[in-house]
Amino acid sequence: MEKAKVRQDWGEQKMNEAEARLDLASVHRILAMEGLNEGTWNHFSCKIGNGVQYLVTPGSTHFSMVSASSLLLYGRDGELISGNGQANHDALPIHLPIYEARSDVNCILHFHSPHATALTVFKQIRFDTRLSQTAAYFHGKVSYLDTYAVPRTNTEEGEEMAHALGDKKVLFMKNHGVLIAASSLADASVSAYQLERASRIQLLAAATGAETEPMSEEHAELLAREECNGEPDYLDGMKRLLERTQPNFKE
């Protein structure tokens, strides 16, 4: 597979570091509350400043324990700038090639939520973006990596993930999990929540054995055009809940 070696411009000014730390820490806590994480080995990241640095999940840390100060700061070449510990061994090999390939991507969420991950194990069943309203927000925005990849042992597989993602928002990774690449944490967080919900709806419907009736292409396309999957205030609303129940995410 031929891969581009030209280094891309990472884009315009991103969030300042303090703001990004609060928002990224809150996304970890929110998705832990929603049951989307697996153990201590899933990982998120977002660009900051002028886009040549990014924050990433601290390795071996449950999402419910991530705080603003615990996030690690890395440079564009994968060097640790500040923070205690290291990122998960798969984080940099997965995230960096996507940032290099997609200047429009400002944050990446990689996780192994049960229902979305279940859809990566079938030979023929794929995520159906016309099956429910929630699924339709992803219509035309989904791609697939059809072979299992372990980028920590083969860095080229990280580039293959970026290639498989292409210009889409969601990547279903064979026998592995899912990845969301978005322009904002508001979009990424609600997309993660809704992707898992839509996957659960699809599997529950399939389990009945009854015939399903997808919505029209027209309606799916209409929903897919909505900003932040129709719920642009999800992150702010959930942050208010965190401020009441888990205020130490800001520490």
Side-chain angles (χ1 to χ4, degrees), residues 124-138:
Q124 297 179 329
I125 299 175
R126 289 197 168 186
F127 182 66
D128 188 344
T129 58
R130 291 171 53 198
L131 194 61
S132 67
Q133 173 178 283
T134 307
Y137 292 122
F138 300 99

Side-chain angles (χ1 to χ4, degrees), residues 208-219:
T208 68
E211 183 179 1
T212 59
E213 185 174 359
M215 70 175 66
S216 68
E217 183 76 13
E218 179 183 8
H219 282 134

